[in-house]
Amino acid sequence: MQSVMPSTRLCANTWLSNPEKAIPGQLIIICTWLGASPKHVGKYTDLYRSIAPHARILLIESDVSILVSSYARQRRRIRPVVDIVLETLAETETSSDDNAPRILLHTFSNGGTNTATQLLIILREVASKPLPLIGLVLDSTPAKGTYWKSYNAMVFSLPPASRFVGSMVVHCLLVLLYTWIACGNENPASLMRRTLLDKDTVGPAPQRPDPEARGYIYYMYSKEDRLTDWMDVWEHAGKAREEGWKVKEVVFKGTGHCAHMPFDPMRYTECVEQAWGAISKPESKL
C-alpha cells in the first residue's frame, strides 16, 4: 500500500509534500485552477505520488483574490515557493547530468497558469537563468482571457451561494483590469502565454536526449470546454512548435473545464507518465 506523504503548509494556499525517501533534485509543481476543491486536487497529487514516489510535490492553490492582486503582491506571496525551487536546483549543482534537476510543472486553467507565470518570472529575476524543466503539462490552458471568458471562470470558482453578489464584484474587478489594460499595460493572459514559451523563463533539462529541443509541452484540452476556447490552446501549441518545442496535444471528447482526468483517467495518466518519464514522442494526438 502506498504511504501518504506528509504535507507542510509553506504559506497561504501553498503546500509541500515530502516522501520518506526523497531523491535530490526531483520536484513536481502543481498550480490548480481557481477555487479547486481539496477532494478534486487530491486526485492529481495521488496520481503524482504513484508515478513519482520519490519526488517532492509543491501544490499551489489559486483563488480569485490573488488573481486580481497586483503583480508585486502575487510575487511576495509566492516567494516561499521560489525558495523551494532554488533549494531543489542547489541539490544537484555539483552533480553530473545523470543527477540533474528533474522538475515538472503542471498547471490548470488560466488561474493556475497565472501562478506559474509569476513563479517563472521571479525565478528568472532571482536566479538570472531559466528554470530547467523536463516538461510542462497544461490542462485547459492557456486561454486568451477575453472579458466574458474571464468573468465566467471567476464566477464559476465561487461557492454557489455567493455567486449572485460575487458576479457584481467580479464585473467591477474586470472593469478595473481592462481599464488598466487600455492604459497600455499587457493583458495578463498575453503575459502568461508569452512567458510559458520564453527562453529566458523556461529552459530544457540537461538530461534531455535531444540537446537541441527546447523542451516538452503536453496540452490537454477539449472542444466542449466552455471556459477555455480550444482554439486558444491549439494556437499556442502551434506557436510552441514554431519556436522549437516538442509538443503533444491530447484532445478529449465531451469533457468540461479541468475535468479530463475523471472522464478518462487511463489516458490522462499515460500523458502524465510520459511527461515525467520523458519517454514520449510528441507531435501526435493520443
Side-chain angles (χ1 to χ4, degrees), residues 36-49:
S37 68
K39 72 174 183 179
H40 292 144
V41 173
K43 295 178 182 178
Y44 298 94
T45 54
D46 288 345
L47 172 60
Y48 275 111
R49 284 170 182 153

Side-chain angles (χ1 to χ4, degrees), residues 97 204-216 244 246:
D97 283 356
Q207 68 267 43
R208 279 297 184 195
D210 182 358
E212 296 184 1
R214 285 197 55 195
Y216 288 65
K246 298 295 185 179

Side-chain angles (χ1 to χ4, degrees), residues 2-7 16-19 28 30 41-55 57 59:
Q2 181 184 335
S3 61
V4 177
M5 293 185 193
S7 296
L16 176 65
S17 295
N18 290 289
I28 294 164
I30 303 174
V41 173
K43 295 178 182 178
Y44 298 94
T45 54
D46 288 345
L47 172 60
Y48 275 111
R49 284 170 182 153
S50 65
I51 292 173
H54 302 295
I57 298 176
L59 175 65

Side-chain angles (χ1 to χ4, degrees), residues 265-283:
M266 290 184 64
R267 191 174 180 213
Y268 199 99
T269 298
E270 180 185 356
C271 182
V272 173
E273 286 177 336
Q274 290 179 354
W276 179 249
I279 61 174
S280 64
K281 294 182 179 179
E283 300 294 347

Side-chain angles (χ1 to χ4, degrees), residues 56 89 117 129 139 150 170 173 187 189 200 221 243 252 272:
R56 294 190 294 175
L89 295 173
T117 297
K129 59 183 179 181
D139 186 321
S150 299
V170 169
L173 292 172
N187 187 318
D200 292 331
Y221 61 98
E243 297 195 9
F252 293 83
V272 173

